[in-house]
Amino acid sequence: MSPTARLMDGTALARQIVEQAAERAAALTERTGQAPCLATVLVGEDPASETYVRMKRNRCEKAGIRSRHVALPAATTTGELVDTLTALSQDPEVHGILLQHPVGPHIDERAAFEAIAPEKDVDGVTYHSFATMSFGAEGFASCTPGGILRLLDHYGVEPAGKHAVVVGRSAILGKPVGMLLLGRNATVTYCHSRTTDLAAHTRQADILIAAVGRPRLLTADHIKPGAVVIDAGYNPGNIGDVDFDSAATRASLITPVPGGVGPMTIATLLTQTVDAAARQLKGA
Amino acid sequence: MSPTARLMDGTALARQIVEQAAERAAALTERTGQAPCLATVLVGEDPASETYVRMKRNRCEKAGIRSRHVALPAATTTGELVDTLTALSQDPEVHGILLQHPVGPHIDERAAFEAIAPEKDVDGVTYHSFATMSFGAEGFASCTPGGILRLLDHYGVEPAGKHAVVVGRSAILGKPVGMLLLGRNATVTYCHSRTTDLAAHTRQADILIAAVGRPRLLTADHIKPGAVVIDAGYNPGNIGDVDFDSAATRASLITPVPGGVGPMTIATLLTQTVDAAARQLKGA
């Protein structure tokens, strides 16, 4: 079978969204004299994490968003990290905070996340942000789920009344993307490693979200003809959770890896940083 | 067809659980000189709400849990209610707080809930409690979802690997019960008013949770033979969301209404109040 699916071009859409964020950042800077500022916090010297943070900071700079980097040694304690994040939460010159994951096994990551003030949680990692996503209240989305929803909207995929199946249940990807889709009136199923007969579930999906981190787990056999397939998996070597060549023979719309969900994640981070700055500088 | 389902007797199980809570409350009172104390807050004079609160307070008293009732006039503002709940959150003599729903349309109920300190949120209504339920972290369950999980455990229903279908997506019932089941390794589907072909989904359920508030919405046609059916619906006249007589011909286990989920909700409230007091009085 030959591929029939249309590509969902995250790179192109992210470019548009970042341009809009840059325009808003420039207007805000002009009006208030302060540029939006994202604080990035990195614990240790993991090369992949350093690369991610550098990339995010580069994108910020290009969009007219200042970034302030805090590099902490690998031996940083939970208490020290909490103190750092609390100080950034209270600093009026910082509008958004990103704690790069992972922080190392000796740190209580949840305690660290919860030290981020909800109004600066532009990465959408706090309990508060998860709940606001789940209840349709005002707040920040986790960046990948937020990016996925933008991608669906851009391609005219209406979740209401559709069956969305999410494979994966992580705190910042699987769980929140399901909650966002539920808020948009999809019927939502969560599958995971303990699911019995995964394919029987995924084959019912009108919208299939792969968010599990297992290379090429989902093939054509998992996909209902005409489904919309979003691959949010990231595995070493830029391999997604979806076996693209096979899946593209069944899906109607599909995200490539790379160039699908990934760029949308960063675009959401930048947009939310400008949103945060706009709210915090409202009276300025 | 004649009924084949075994009844899940919430009344009997709740009695056992309340007895255990009473024993722990007595031991705690003996050890610390302070009885666990639940503050109940009621806004306005809705007769049904007054009855609910009175019933909860009566159950507390019988279990050796003090209750302190705060009755506020219907004209109470959001700010006044928030102030009341903040003061109770800071009062060392109060260990748990229950804000009786509904509070009236002029009040921002969410703002009120968020004024309840997480460590006193024994009714499980805050963002924090929703997130801890969702992420398997330490915290309080919303009482009905927590009661449902206890009921499943008592009857030996293991959620892992099963398909649980939740009909309803409210903030304190549908959404959290799905998250608790997901945390117990069920595959979880959320259905609701916008679901297309509800019966096609519910007929796949090994565990079916009705939590939608529509009288007798679910009949035998919605139920897979042998399913476990939990009716958490409450509708006027003590009618559940499940058409019991018809459903009981298909289900293997089923909760009656009344006498199923209802008593478990109150048992969970009492248990969590004692839990809260035990933590807060730890050093006493």
PDB file of all heavy atoms in Angstrom, chain A residues 130 134 161 169 175 179 182 185-190 192 194-196 204, chain B residues 130-131 134 161 169 175 179 182 185-190 192 194-196 204:
ATOM      1  N   PHE A 130      -2.131  21.199  35.792  1.00  0.00           N
ATOM      2  CA  PHE A 130      -2.816  19.967  35.388  1.00  0.00           C
ATOM      3  C   PHE A 130      -4.313  20.074  35.670  1.00  0.00           C
ATOM      4  O   PHE A 130      -5.152  19.695  34.846  1.00  0.00           O
ATOM      5  CB  PHE A 130      -2.232  18.751  36.105  1.00  0.00           C
ATOM      6  CG  PHE A 130      -2.947  17.483  35.728  1.00  0.00           C
ATOM      7  CD1 PHE A 130      -2.799  16.940  34.453  1.00  0.00           C
ATOM      8  CD2 PHE A 130      -3.807  16.855  36.615  1.00  0.00           C
ATOM      9  CE1 PHE A 130      -3.487  15.790  34.069  1.00  0.00           C
ATOM     10  CE2 PHE A 130      -4.499  15.698  36.247  1.00  0.00           C
ATOM     11  CZ  PHE A 130      -4.335  15.170  34.971  1.00  0.00           C
ATOM     12  N   SER A 134      -7.486  20.150  33.162  1.00  0.00           N
ATOM     13  CA  SER A 134      -8.500  19.103  33.311  1.00  0.00           C
ATOM     14  C   SER A 134      -9.905  19.680  33.454  1.00  0.00           C
ATOM     15  O   SER A 134     -10.882  19.052  33.068  1.00  0.00           O
ATOM     16  CB  SER A 134      -8.182  18.245  34.538  1.00  0.00           C
ATOM     17  OG  SER A 134      -6.934  17.614  34.390  1.00  0.00           O
ATOM     18  N   GLY A 161     -17.261  14.783  19.960  1.00  0.00           N
ATOM     19  CA  GLY A 161     -17.976  13.601  19.491  1.00  0.00           C
ATOM     20  C   GLY A 161     -17.079  12.519  18.913  1.00  0.00           C
ATOM     21  O   GLY A 161     -17.542  11.411  18.634  1.00  0.00           O
ATOM     22  N   ARG A 169       0.442   7.630  29.644  1.00  0.00           N
ATOM     23  CA  ARG A 169      -0.254   8.297  30.758  1.00  0.00           C
ATOM     24  C   ARG A 169       0.710   9.075  31.636  1.00  0.00           C
ATOM     25  O   ARG A 169       0.561   9.102  32.865  1.00  0.00           O
ATOM     26  CB  ARG A 169      -1.032   7.273  31.584  1.00  0.00           C
ATOM     27  CG  ARG A 169      -0.179   6.106  32.029  1.00  0.00           C
ATOM     28  CD  ARG A 169      -0.932   5.144  32.922  1.00  0.00           C
ATOM     29  NE  ARG A 169      -0.191   3.902  33.023  1.00  0.00           N
ATOM     30  CZ  ARG A 169      -0.439   2.943  33.912  1.00  0.00           C
ATOM     31  NH1 ARG A 169      -1.412   3.082  34.780  1.00  0.00           N
ATOM     32  NH2 ARG A 169       0.281   1.842  33.921  1.00  0.00           N
ATOM     33  N   LYS A 175      -1.537  12.108  30.252  1.00  0.00           N
ATOM     34  CA  LYS A 175      -2.700  12.498  31.066  1.00  0.00           C
ATOM     35  C   LYS A 175      -3.263  13.854  30.650  1.00  0.00           C
ATOM     36  O   LYS A 175      -4.465  13.984  30.423  1.00  0.00           O
ATOM     37  CB  LYS A 175      -2.361  12.467  32.554  1.00  0.00           C
ATOM     38  CG  LYS A 175      -2.410  11.048  33.109  1.00  0.00           C
ATOM     39  CD  LYS A 175      -2.242  11.005  34.625  1.00  0.00           C
ATOM     40  CE  LYS A 175      -2.270   9.551  35.109  1.00  0.00           C
ATOM     41  NZ  LYS A 175      -1.105   9.183  35.909  1.00  0.00           N
ATOM     42  N   MET A 179      -7.010  14.953  28.962  1.00  0.00           N
ATOM     43  CA  MET A 179      -7.922  15.890  29.643  1.00  0.00           C
ATOM     44  C   MET A 179      -8.292  17.064  28.729  1.00  0.00           C
ATOM     45  O   MET A 179      -9.447  17.519  28.731  1.00  0.00           O
ATOM     46  CB  MET A 179      -7.279  16.398  30.936  1.00  0.00           C
ATOM     47  CG  MET A 179      -7.330  15.377  32.066  1.00  0.00           C
ATOM     48  SD  MET A 179      -9.035  15.117  32.668  1.00  0.00           S
ATOM     49  CE  MET A 179      -9.025  13.341  32.880  1.00  0.00           C
ATOM     50  N   LEU A 182     -10.806  15.734  26.320  1.00  0.00           N
ATOM     51  CA  LEU A 182     -12.083  15.552  27.014  1.00  0.00           C
ATOM     52  C   LEU A 182     -12.791  16.899  27.170  1.00  0.00           C
ATOM     53  O   LEU A 182     -14.006  17.005  26.969  1.00  0.00           O
ATOM     54  CB  LEU A 182     -11.822  14.906  28.373  1.00  0.00           C
ATOM     55  CG  LEU A 182     -13.022  14.497  29.231  1.00  0.00           C
ATOM     56  CD1 LEU A 182     -13.920  13.497  28.516  1.00  0.00           C
ATOM     57  CD2 LEU A 182     -12.544  13.919  30.574  1.00  0.00           C
ATOM     58  N   ASN A 185     -14.707  17.863  24.324  1.00  0.00           N
ATOM     59  CA  ASN A 185     -15.859  16.992  24.075  1.00  0.00           C
ATOM     60  C   ASN A 185     -15.575  15.740  23.255  1.00  0.00           C
ATOM     61  O   ASN A 185     -16.483  15.158  22.668  1.00  0.00           O
ATOM     62  CB  ASN A 185     -17.012  17.783  23.440  1.00  0.00           C
ATOM     63  CG  ASN A 185     -17.542  18.860  24.360  1.00  0.00           C
ATOM     64  OD1 ASN A 185     -17.722  18.611  25.545  1.00  0.00           O
ATOM     65  ND2 ASN A 185     -17.753  20.053  23.835  1.00  0.00           N
ATOM     66  N   ALA A 186     -14.315  15.317  23.218  1.00  0.00           N
ATOM     67  CA  ALA A 186     -14.027  13.983  22.684  1.00  0.00           C
ATOM     68  C   ALA A 186     -14.371  12.942  23.746  1.00  0.00           C
ATOM     69  O   ALA A 186     -14.336  13.221  24.941  1.00  0.00           O
ATOM     70  CB  ALA A 186     -12.552  13.862  22.310  1.00  0.00           C
ATOM     71  N   THR A 187     -14.714  11.738  23.292  1.00  0.00           N
ATOM     72  CA  THR A 187     -14.713  10.568  24.168  1.00  0.00           C
ATOM     73  C   THR A 187     -13.259  10.116  24.232  1.00  0.00           C
ATOM     74  O   THR A 187     -12.623   9.970  23.196  1.00  0.00           O
ATOM     75  CB  THR A 187     -15.595   9.460  23.549  1.00  0.00           C
ATOM     76  OG1 THR A 187     -16.924   9.965  23.424  1.00  0.00           O
ATOM     77  CG2 THR A 187     -15.587   8.196  24.403  1.00  0.00           C
ATOM     78  N   VAL A 188     -12.736   9.938  25.441  1.00  0.00           N
ATOM     79  CA  VAL A 188     -11.289   9.733  25.573  1.00  0.00           C
ATOM     80  C   VAL A 188     -10.978   8.407  26.252  1.00  0.00           C
ATOM     81  O   VAL A 188     -11.532   8.102  27.313  1.00  0.00           O
ATOM     82  CB  VAL A 188     -10.645  10.878  26.387  1.00  0.00           C
ATOM     83  CG1 VAL A 188      -9.177  10.590  26.684  1.00  0.00           C
ATOM     84  CG2 VAL A 188     -10.787  12.200  25.632  1.00  0.00           C
ATOM     85  N   THR A 189     -10.094   7.644  25.631  1.00  0.00           N
ATOM     86  CA  THR A 189      -9.603   6.399  26.232  1.00  0.00           C
ATOM     87  C   THR A 189      -8.103   6.517  26.483  1.00  0.00           C
ATOM     88  O   THR A 189      -7.356   6.941  25.600  1.00  0.00           O
ATOM     89  CB  THR A 189      -9.873   5.199  25.306  1.00  0.00           C
ATOM     90  OG1 THR A 189     -11.278   5.032  25.150  1.00  0.00           O
ATOM     91  CG2 THR A 189      -9.285   3.908  25.883  1.00  0.00           C
ATOM     92  N   TYR A 190      -7.693   6.151  27.696  1.00  0.00           N
ATOM     93  CA  TYR A 190      -6.276   6.074  28.046  1.00  0.00           C
ATOM     94  C   TYR A 190      -5.816   4.619  27.998  1.00  0.00           C
ATOM     95  O   TYR A 190      -6.325   3.786  28.755  1.00  0.00           O
ATOM     96  CB  TYR A 190      -6.032   6.566  29.471  1.00  0.00           C
ATOM     97  CG  TYR A 190      -6.163   8.049  29.691  1.00  0.00           C
ATOM     98  CD1 TYR A 190      -7.330   8.596  30.200  1.00  0.00           C
ATOM     99  CD2 TYR A 190      -5.104   8.901  29.411  1.00  0.00           C
ATOM    100  CE1 TYR A 190      -7.446   9.968  30.430  1.00  0.00           C
ATOM    101  CE2 TYR A 190      -5.207  10.271  29.641  1.00  0.00           C
ATOM    102  CZ  TYR A 190      -6.379  10.793  30.154  1.00  0.00           C
ATOM    103  OH  TYR A 190      -6.477  12.136  30.383  1.00  0.00           O
ATOM    104  N   HIS A 192      -2.131   2.076  27.953  1.00  0.00           N
ATOM    105  CA  HIS A 192      -0.785   2.130  28.532  1.00  0.00           C
ATOM    106  C   HIS A 192      -0.204   0.732  28.553  1.00  0.00           C
ATOM    107  O   HIS A 192      -0.803  -0.212  27.989  1.00  0.00           O
ATOM    108  CB  HIS A 192      -0.862   2.741  29.933  1.00  0.00           C
ATOM    109  CG  HIS A 192      -1.961   2.172  30.760  1.00  0.00           C
ATOM    110  ND1 HIS A 192      -1.860   0.965  31.379  1.00  0.00           N
ATOM    111  CD2 HIS A 192      -3.237   2.616  30.977  1.00  0.00           C
ATOM    112  CE1 HIS A 192      -3.006   0.695  31.991  1.00  0.00           C
ATOM    113  NE2 HIS A 192      -3.867   1.684  31.763  1.00  0.00           N
ATOM    114  N   ARG A 194      -0.132  -1.550  30.621  1.00  0.00           N
ATOM    115  CA  ARG A 194      -0.914  -2.621  31.224  1.00  0.00           C
ATOM    116  C   ARG A 194      -2.229  -2.873  30.504  1.00  0.00           C
ATOM    117  O   ARG A 194      -3.059  -3.665  30.950  1.00  0.00           O
ATOM    118  CB  ARG A 194      -1.191  -2.296  32.701  1.00  0.00           C
ATOM    119  CG  ARG A 194       0.071  -2.087  33.546  1.00  0.00           C
ATOM    120  CD  ARG A 194       0.806  -3.404  33.774  1.00  0.00           C
ATOM    121  NE  ARG A 194      -0.013  -4.373  34.469  1.00  0.00           N
ATOM    122  CZ  ARG A 194      -0.165  -4.421  35.800  1.00  0.00           C
ATOM    123  NH1 ARG A 194       0.467  -3.574  36.566  1.00  0.00           N
ATOM    124  NH2 ARG A 194      -0.925  -5.338  36.350  1.00  0.00           N
ATOM    125  N   THR A 195      -2.421  -2.175  29.372  1.00  0.00           N
ATOM    126  CA  THR A 195      -3.649  -2.362  28.592  1.00  0.00           C
ATOM    127  C   THR A 195      -3.661  -3.741  27.939  1.00  0.00           C
ATOM    128  O   THR A 195      -2.657  -4.169  27.365  1.00  0.00           O
ATOM    129  CB  THR A 195      -3.753  -1.274  27.520  1.00  0.00           C
ATOM    130  OG1 THR A 195      -4.004  -0.029  28.170  1.00  0.00           O
ATOM    131  CG2 THR A 195      -4.876  -1.558  26.520  1.00  0.00           C
ATOM    132  N   THR A 196      -4.800  -4.416  28.036  1.00  0.00           N
ATOM    133  CA  THR A 196      -4.994  -5.707  27.388  1.00  0.00           C
ATOM    134  C   THR A 196      -5.427  -5.459  25.938  1.00  0.00           C
ATOM    135  O   THR A 196      -6.368  -4.707  25.707  1.00  0.00           O
ATOM    136  CB  THR A 196      -6.106  -6.494  28.126  1.00  0.00           C
ATOM    137  OG1 THR A 196      -5.802  -6.517  29.523  1.00  0.00           O
ATOM    138  CG2 THR A 196      -6.227  -7.907  27.607  1.00  0.00           C
ATOM    139  N   GLN A 204     -10.067   1.698  17.334  1.00  0.00           N
ATOM    140  CA  GLN A 204     -11.345   2.426  17.443  1.00  0.00           C
ATOM    141  C   GLN A 204     -11.147   3.932  17.396  1.00  0.00           C
ATOM    142  O   GLN A 204     -12.121   4.693  17.405  1.00  0.00           O
ATOM    143  CB  GLN A 204     -12.032   2.070  18.757  1.00  0.00           C
ATOM    144  CG  GLN A 204     -12.387   0.594  18.868  1.00  0.00           C
ATOM    145  CD  GLN A 204     -13.099   0.284  20.173  1.00  0.00           C
ATOM    146  OE1 GLN A 204     -13.973   1.015  20.620  1.00  0.00           O
ATOM    147  NE2 GLN A 204     -12.722  -0.822  20.794  1.00  0.00           N
TER     148      GLN A 204
ATOM    149  N   PHE B 130      -7.114  16.842  43.234  1.00  0.00           N
ATOM    150  CA  PHE B 130      -7.353  16.210  41.930  1.00  0.00           C
ATOM    151  C   PHE B 130      -6.029  15.735  41.331  1.00  0.00           C
ATOM    152  O   PHE B 130      -5.938  14.627  40.788  1.00  0.00           O
ATOM    153  CB  PHE B 130      -8.058  17.170  40.971  1.00  0.00           C
ATOM    154  CG  PHE B 130      -8.290  16.537  39.627  1.00  0.00           C
ATOM    155  CD1 PHE B 130      -9.215  15.522  39.466  1.00  0.00           C
ATOM    156  CD2 PHE B 130      -7.541  16.935  38.524  1.00  0.00           C
ATOM    157  CE1 PHE B 130      -9.406  14.914  38.226  1.00  0.00           C
ATOM    158  CE2 PHE B 130      -7.720  16.333  37.285  1.00  0.00           C
ATOM    159  CZ  PHE B 130      -8.662  15.316  37.142  1.00  0.00           C
ATOM    160  N   ALA B 131      -5.008  16.580  41.427  1.00  0.00           N
ATOM    161  CA  ALA B 131      -3.714  16.219  40.842  1.00  0.00           C
ATOM    162  C   ALA B 131      -3.070  15.054  41.582  1.00  0.00           C
ATOM    163  O   ALA B 131      -2.518  14.142  40.957  1.00  0.00           O
ATOM    164  CB  ALA B 131      -2.789  17.430  40.824  1.00  0.00           C
ATOM    165  N   SER B 134      -4.647  12.028  40.493  1.00  0.00           N
ATOM    166  CA  SER B 134      -4.299  11.714  39.102  1.00  0.00           C
ATOM    167  C   SER B 134      -2.897  11.155  38.977  1.00  0.00           C
ATOM    168  O   SER B 134      -2.614  10.379  38.063  1.00  0.00           O
ATOM    169  CB  SER B 134      -4.415  12.974  38.245  1.00  0.00           C
ATOM    170  OG  SER B 134      -5.744  13.465  38.263  1.00  0.00           O
ATOM    171  N   GLY B 161      -5.469  -3.991  34.037  1.00  0.00           N
ATOM    172  CA  GLY B 161      -5.693  -4.690  32.778  1.00  0.00           C
ATOM    173  C   GLY B 161      -7.138  -4.724  32.327  1.00  0.00           C
ATOM    174  O   GLY B 161      -7.431  -5.148  31.204  1.00  0.00           O
ATOM    175  N   ARG B 169     -18.190  13.236  33.601  1.00  0.00           N
ATOM    176  CA  ARG B 169     -16.848  13.843  33.668  1.00  0.00           C
ATOM    177  C   ARG B 169     -16.839  15.041  34.598  1.00  0.00           C
ATOM    178  O   ARG B 169     -16.174  16.047  34.339  1.00  0.00           O
ATOM    179  CB  ARG B 169     -16.385  14.252  32.265  1.00  0.00           C
ATOM    180  CG  ARG B 169     -17.411  15.074  31.516  1.00  0.00           C
ATOM    181  CD  ARG B 169     -16.900  15.577  30.180  1.00  0.00           C
ATOM    182  NE  ARG B 169     -18.010  16.070  29.387  1.00  0.00           N
ATOM    183  CZ  ARG B 169     -17.909  16.769  28.268  1.00  0.00           C
ATOM    184  NH1 ARG B 169     -16.713  17.074  27.800  1.00  0.00           N
ATOM    185  NH2 ARG B 169     -18.973  17.174  27.616  1.00  0.00           N
ATOM    186  N   LYS B 175     -14.284  12.637  36.560  1.00  0.00           N
ATOM    187  CA  LYS B 175     -12.845  12.779  36.241  1.00  0.00           C
ATOM    188  C   LYS B 175     -11.960  12.085  37.276  1.00  0.00           C
ATOM    189  O   LYS B 175     -11.077  11.315  36.909  1.00  0.00           O
ATOM    190  CB  LYS B 175     -12.467  14.254  36.079  1.00  0.00           C
ATOM    191  CG  LYS B 175     -12.852  14.780  34.693  1.00  0.00           C
ATOM    192  CD  LYS B 175     -12.395  16.211  34.454  1.00  0.00           C
ATOM    193  CE  LYS B 175     -12.814  16.664  33.062  1.00  0.00           C
ATOM    194  NZ  LYS B 175     -13.502  17.954  33.051  1.00  0.00           N
ATOM    195  N   MET B 179      -9.311   8.780  36.938  1.00  0.00           N
ATOM    196  CA  MET B 179      -7.879   8.901  37.226  1.00  0.00           C
ATOM    197  C   MET B 179      -7.429   7.876  38.274  1.00  0.00           C
ATOM    198  O   MET B 179      -6.342   7.314  38.168  1.00  0.00           O
ATOM    199  CB  MET B 179      -7.558  10.326  37.705  1.00  0.00           C
ATOM    200  CG  MET B 179      -7.525  11.340  36.578  1.00  0.00           C
ATOM    201  SD  MET B 179      -6.075  11.084  35.488  1.00  0.00           S
ATOM    202  CE  MET B 179      -6.841  11.294  33.882  1.00  0.00           C
ATOM    203  N   LEU B 182      -7.191   4.614  36.470  1.00  0.00           N
ATOM    204  CA  LEU B 182      -5.997   4.628  35.617  1.00  0.00           C
ATOM    205  C   LEU B 182      -4.748   4.373  36.459  1.00  0.00           C
ATOM    206  O   LEU B 182      -3.841   3.632  36.060  1.00  0.00           O
ATOM    207  CB  LEU B 182      -5.916   5.981  34.900  1.00  0.00           C
ATOM    208  CG  LEU B 182      -4.818   6.180  33.863  1.00  0.00           C
ATOM    209  CD1 LEU B 182      -4.896   5.159  32.731  1.00  0.00           C
ATOM    210  CD2 LEU B 182      -4.876   7.606  33.300  1.00  0.00           C
ATOM    211  N   ASN B 185      -4.062   0.917  37.016  1.00  0.00           N
ATOM    212  CA  ASN B 185      -3.699   0.185  35.794  1.00  0.00           C
ATOM    213  C   ASN B 185      -4.876  -0.343  34.973  1.00  0.00           C
ATOM    214  O   ASN B 185      -4.706  -1.265  34.170  1.00  0.00           O
ATOM    215  CB  ASN B 185      -2.719  -0.953  36.108  1.00  0.00           C
ATOM    216  CG  ASN B 185      -1.418  -0.431  36.653  1.00  0.00           C
ATOM    217  OD1 ASN B 185      -0.875   0.548  36.118  1.00  0.00           O
ATOM    218  ND2 ASN B 185      -0.920  -1.020  37.721  1.00  0.00           N
ATOM    219  N   ALA B 186      -6.043   0.241  35.156  1.00  0.00           N
ATOM    220  CA  ALA B 186      -7.136  -0.034  34.217  1.00  0.00           C
ATOM    221  C   ALA B 186      -6.900   0.779  32.945  1.00  0.00           C
ATOM    222  O   ALA B 186      -6.273   1.834  32.969  1.00  0.00           O
ATOM    223  CB  ALA B 186      -8.480   0.347  34.825  1.00  0.00           C
ATOM    224  N   THR B 187      -7.415   0.274  31.836  1.00  0.00           N
ATOM    225  CA  THR B 187      -7.584   1.089  30.638  1.00  0.00           C
ATOM    226  C   THR B 187      -8.879   1.858  30.856  1.00  0.00           C
ATOM    227  O   THR B 187      -9.901   1.257  31.202  1.00  0.00           O
ATOM    228  CB  THR B 187      -7.703   0.188  29.397  1.00  0.00           C
ATOM    229  OG1 THR B 187      -6.508  -0.579  29.282  1.00  0.00           O
ATOM    230  CG2 THR B 187      -7.939   1.005  28.136  1.00  0.00           C
ATOM    231  N   VAL B 188      -8.847   3.181  30.702  1.00  0.00           N
ATOM    232  CA  VAL B 188      -9.991   3.994  31.124  1.00  0.00           C
ATOM    233  C   VAL B 188     -10.563   4.803  29.961  1.00  0.00           C
ATOM    234  O   VAL B 188      -9.822   5.489  29.258  1.00  0.00           O
ATOM    235  CB  VAL B 188      -9.577   4.956  32.257  1.00  0.00           C
ATOM    236  CG1 VAL B 188     -10.716   5.930  32.588  1.00  0.00           C
ATOM    237  CG2 VAL B 188      -9.182   4.164  33.507  1.00  0.00           C
ATOM    238  N   THR B 189     -11.881   4.693  29.790  1.00  0.00           N
ATOM    239  CA  THR B 189     -12.582   5.510  28.794  1.00  0.00           C
ATOM    240  C   THR B 189     -13.565   6.437  29.500  1.00  0.00           C
ATOM    241  O   THR B 189     -14.328   5.994  30.364  1.00  0.00           O
ATOM    242  CB  THR B 189     -13.350   4.621  27.796  1.00  0.00           C
ATOM    243  OG1 THR B 189     -12.415   3.825  27.072  1.00  0.00           O
ATOM    244  CG2 THR B 189     -14.150   5.467  26.808  1.00  0.00           C
ATOM    245  N   TYR B 190     -13.517   7.712  29.135  1.00  0.00           N
ATOM    246  CA  TYR B 190     -14.487   8.701  29.624  1.00  0.00           C
ATOM    247  C   TYR B 190     -15.554   8.937  28.552  1.00  0.00           C
ATOM    248  O   TYR B 190     -15.241   9.406  27.453  1.00  0.00           O
ATOM    249  CB  TYR B 190     -13.805  10.042  29.879  1.00  0.00           C
ATOM    250  CG  TYR B 190     -12.919  10.106  31.086  1.00  0.00           C
ATOM    251  CD1 TYR B 190     -11.548   9.998  30.965  1.00  0.00           C
ATOM    252  CD2 TYR B 190     -13.457  10.313  32.358  1.00  0.00           C
ATOM    253  CE1 TYR B 190     -10.709  10.086  32.074  1.00  0.00           C
ATOM    254  CE2 TYR B 190     -12.625  10.402  33.472  1.00  0.00           C
ATOM    255  CZ  TYR B 190     -11.268  10.294  33.322  1.00  0.00           C
ATOM    256  OH  TYR B 190     -10.451  10.391  34.421  1.00  0.00           O
ATOM    257  N   HIS B 192     -19.588  10.759  27.912  1.00  0.00           N
ATOM    258  CA  HIS B 192     -20.337  11.910  28.437  1.00  0.00           C
ATOM    259  C   HIS B 192     -21.438  12.279  27.454  1.00  0.00           C
ATOM    260  O   HIS B 192     -21.689  11.535  26.482  1.00  0.00           O
ATOM    261  CB  HIS B 192     -19.383  13.086  28.673  1.00  0.00           C
ATOM    262  CG  HIS B 192     -18.438  13.301  27.525  1.00  0.00           C
ATOM    263  ND1 HIS B 192     -18.823  13.934  26.368  1.00  0.00           N
ATOM    264  CD2 HIS B 192     -17.157  12.893  27.334  1.00  0.00           C
ATOM    265  CE1 HIS B 192     -17.803  13.944  25.527  1.00  0.00           C
ATOM    266  NE2 HIS B 192     -16.769  13.315  26.084  1.00  0.00           N
ATOM    267  N   ARG B 194     -21.686  14.219  25.081  1.00  0.00           N
ATOM    268  CA  ARG B 194     -21.331  14.421  23.686  1.00  0.00           C
ATOM    269  C   ARG B 194     -20.755  13.166  23.028  1.00  0.00           C
ATOM    270  O   ARG B 194     -20.310  13.204  21.879  1.00  0.00           O
ATOM    271  CB  ARG B 194     -20.321  15.578  23.572  1.00  0.00           C
ATOM    272  CG  ARG B 194     -20.804  16.914  24.131  1.00  0.00           C
ATOM    273  CD  ARG B 194     -21.906  17.504  23.248  1.00  0.00           C
ATOM    274  NE  ARG B 194     -21.422  17.764  21.910  1.00  0.00           N
ATOM    275  CZ  ARG B 194     -20.761  18.873  21.548  1.00  0.00           C
ATOM    276  NH1 ARG B 194     -20.503  19.798  22.433  1.00  0.00           N
ATOM    277  NH2 ARG B 194     -20.377  19.039  20.301  1.00  0.00           N
ATOM    278  N   THR B 195     -20.760  12.062  23.767  1.00  0.00           N
ATOM    279  CA  THR B 195     -20.253  10.804  23.214  1.00  0.00           C
ATOM    280  C   THR B 195     -21.189  10.280  22.130  1.00  0.00           C
ATOM    281  O   THR B 195     -22.404  10.279  22.298  1.00  0.00           O
ATOM    282  CB  THR B 195     -20.119   9.759  24.346  1.00  0.00           C
ATOM    283  OG1 THR B 195     -19.051  10.152  25.197  1.00  0.00           O
ATOM    284  CG2 THR B 195     -19.835   8.358  23.797  1.00  0.00           C
ATOM    285  N   THR B 196     -20.602   9.852  21.040  1.00  0.00           N
ATOM    286  CA  THR B 196     -21.350   9.245  19.947  1.00  0.00           C
ATOM    287  C   THR B 196     -21.522   7.754  20.253  1.00  0.00           C
ATOM    288  O   THR B 196     -20.533   7.076  20.529  1.00  0.00           O
ATOM    289  CB  THR B 196     -20.545   9.408  18.633  1.00  0.00           C
ATOM    290  OG1 THR B 196     -20.195  10.781  18.482  1.00  0.00           O
ATOM    291  CG2 THR B 196     -21.371   8.960  17.436  1.00  0.00           C
ATOM    292  N   GLN B 204     -18.330  -2.319  26.177  1.00  0.00           N
ATOM    293  CA  GLN B 204     -16.964  -2.856  26.236  1.00  0.00           C
ATOM    294  C   GLN B 204     -16.415  -2.874  27.657  1.00  0.00           C
ATOM    295  O   GLN B 204     -15.301  -3.355  27.884  1.00  0.00           O
ATOM    296  CB  GLN B 204     -16.044  -2.007  25.362  1.00  0.00           C
ATOM    297  CG  GLN B 204     -16.425  -2.018  23.887  1.00  0.00           C
ATOM    298  CD  GLN B 204     -15.448  -1.198  23.054  1.00  0.00           C
ATOM    299  OE1 GLN B 204     -14.241  -1.262  23.241  1.00  0.00           O
ATOM    300  NE2 GLN B 204     -15.978  -0.413  22.133  1.00  0.00           N
TER     301      GLN B 204
END
